[in-house]
Amino acid sequence: MSLNLITETWQGYGDKLLSRHFERLAVVYVRQSTPQQVLNHQESTRLPYGLVRRAMEWGWSEARVLVMDDDLGQSGATAEGRQGFQRLVAEVGLDHVGLVLGVDMSRLARSSKDWHQLREMGALFGTVIADLDGIYAPSPSNERVLLGVKGTRREAE
């Protein structure tokens, strides 16, 4: 999938981004499950880095976009040992993050427990979560349910 497709897919979702989101960081989270995937699927590794450009197109300065790629080659089955994910949850909990971007929510967490922790922190601190399917504000009930279903589906995969 190319970055052009990402841009086309996300057009029209910008109405969920409020001025308070731009006062905080946009975090691009990058993860692949195994070292072999990192080596053998390089396009899948490069694609999320292109999300920096997407955040900048939405209005974040390059200095306010943080790439967290500490978990390359790490399974998403649990947050244990995934320093990048743990750092992401901590930064959201410190109210430093306005937007979390990922190509696919399964890159964030395959464990419902970990996924729901991030979702709950996002709802509490008003952090928006975005993947190729759209932008989600975790606090409205319908989007909260949708994010819950997405997390459950990813865990089942």
Side-chain angles (χ1 to χ4, degrees):
M1 185 175 297
S2 72
L3 190 57
N4 290 337
L5 182 57
I6 292 172
T7 302
E8 293 168 15
T9 303
W10 282 352
Q11 286 178 350
Y13 290 104
D15 58 335
K16 293 184 184 177
L17 297 174
L18 308 173
S19 60
R20 63 187 164 93
H21 295 118
F22 296 99
E23 294 167 2
R24 297 180 275 166
L25 297 171
V27 175
V28 175
Y29 182 78
V30 182
R31 183 188 68 77
Q32 283 186 286
S33 297
T34 66
Q36 291 78 17
Q37 285 180 334
V38 175
L39 291 173
N40 298 329
H41 300 106
Q42 293 182 2
E43 178 61 21
S44 294
T45 304
R46 278 192 301 269
L47 185 60
Y49 290 103
L51 297 176
V52 170
R53 188 178 89 196
R54 183 70 227 155
M56 291 170 56
E57 289 171 358
W58 278 345
W60 272 269
S61 68
E62 187 173 8
R64 302 288 299 155
V65 179
L66 175 62
V67 175
M68 289 190 181
D69 57 3
D70 309 357
D71 297 336
L72 277 172
Q74 297 283 325
S75 169
T78 179
E80 189 174 317
R82 289 177 47 214
Q83 293 182 356
F85 182 78
Q86 293 171 11
R87 182 172 154 218
L88 173 62
V89 172
E91 291 294 330
V92 170
L94 290 169
D95 202 17
H96 294 167
V97 180
L99 173 68
V100 175
L101 295 107
V103 171
D104 185 329
M105 289 301 103
S106 70
R107 300 296 91 199
L108 292 167
R110 298 236 183 211
S111 159
S112 287
K113 174 186 162 285
D114 298 333
W115 169 242
H116 292 294
Q117 178 187 20
L118 177 62
R119 188 188 71 172
E120 291 296 320
M121 295 298 279
L124 185 62
F125 291 97
T127 301
V128 175
I129 299 171
D131 68 6
L132 290 183
D133 294 331
I135 298 176
Y136 310 94
S139 52
S141 61
N142 61 336
E143 292 193 21
R144 198 173 170 89
V145 169
L146 179 59
L147 284 170
V149 168
K150 287 176 76 84
T152 301
R153 189 185 83 188
R154 298 296 184 225
E155 183 177 42
E157 290 175 354

